[in-house]
């Protein structure tokens, strides 16, 4: 699998982080995914999924900023958000957001990257 495009950006770790991430993602995705009805449907799914990932990560982040990433290959667009604490195993305030991510994404997961955690999702391009 070859990655063809990648973009990293930070959003302030505050209550408007999800809105910030959506705005940046829309600009980036317009260049990555292109235009047309199928592209617009894909972009909306990605924006919604990223917004939920950022909201979940915000509750687990202590720094001033959160690192978001968008990349794609021929079949999928991948998004990720880094956060300081692991996501809870038991149901909690993040469960609703993660359930939305599960519904939107074709796959998702979380792993440790050095000293931080990264939660990611993959969305099939239409």
């Amino acid at each position: 699998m070859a990655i063809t495009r990648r973009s990293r950006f930070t959003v302030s770790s505050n209550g408007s982080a999800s809105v910030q991430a959506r705005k940046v993602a829309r600009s980036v995705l317009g260049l990555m995914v292109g235009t047309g009805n199928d592209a617009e449907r894909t972009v909306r799914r990605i924006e919604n999924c990223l917004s939920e990932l950022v909201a979940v990560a915000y509750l687990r982040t202590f720094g001033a900023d959160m690192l978001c990433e968008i990349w794609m290959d021929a079949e999928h667009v991948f998004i990720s958000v880094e956060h300081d604490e692991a996501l809870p195993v038991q149901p909690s305030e993040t469960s609703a957001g993660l359930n939305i991510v599960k519904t939107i994404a074709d796959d998702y997961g979380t792993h440790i990257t050095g000293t931080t955690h990264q939660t990611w999702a993959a969305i099939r391009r239409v």
Side-chain angles (χ1 to χ4, degrees):
M1 166 172 64
I3 295 171
T4 56
R5 298 178 188 184
R6 182 178 291 265
S7 180
R8 291 177 147 198
F9 57 94
T10 58
V11 294
S12 298
S13 184
N14 60 36
S16 66
S18 291
V19 173
Q20 293 173 45
R22 281 182 88 96
K23 285 181 182 179
V24 174
R26 175 147 290 271
S27 299
V28 168
L29 290 166
L31 298 171
M32 284 181 158
V33 178
T35 59
N37 289 336
D38 288 342
E40 182 61 27
R41 279 195 297 275
T42 299
V43 167
R44 286 181 187 262
R45 285 181 65 207
I46 296 163
E47 285 178 324
N48 290 333
C49 194
L50 179 62
S51 179
E52 292 301 326
L53 279 181
V54 168
V56 169
Y58 168 63
L59 297 173
R60 305 280 181 236
T61 300
F62 307 117
D65 296 315
M66 292 185 292
L67 178 64
C68 301
E69 196 165 2
I70 301 172
W71 68 101
M72 59 187 260
D73 64 16
E75 296 179 6
H76 295 89
V77 176
F78 302 89
I79 56 177
S80 69
V81 180
E82 289 187 5
H83 45 96
D84 297 314
E85 285 185 343
L87 299 180
V89 176
Q90 299 299 317
S92 73
E93 70 275 4
T94 61
S95 297
L98 286 178
N99 284 332
I100 293 170
V101 169
K102 288 180 195 178
T103 301
I104 296 171
D106 295 296
D107 196 9
Y108 84 101
T110 188
H111 62 273
I112 298 173
T113 59
T115 60
T116 63
H117 299 265
Q118 182 184 60
T119 301
W120 58 271
I123 297 172
R124 186 173 300 280
R125 295 171 61 189
V126 179

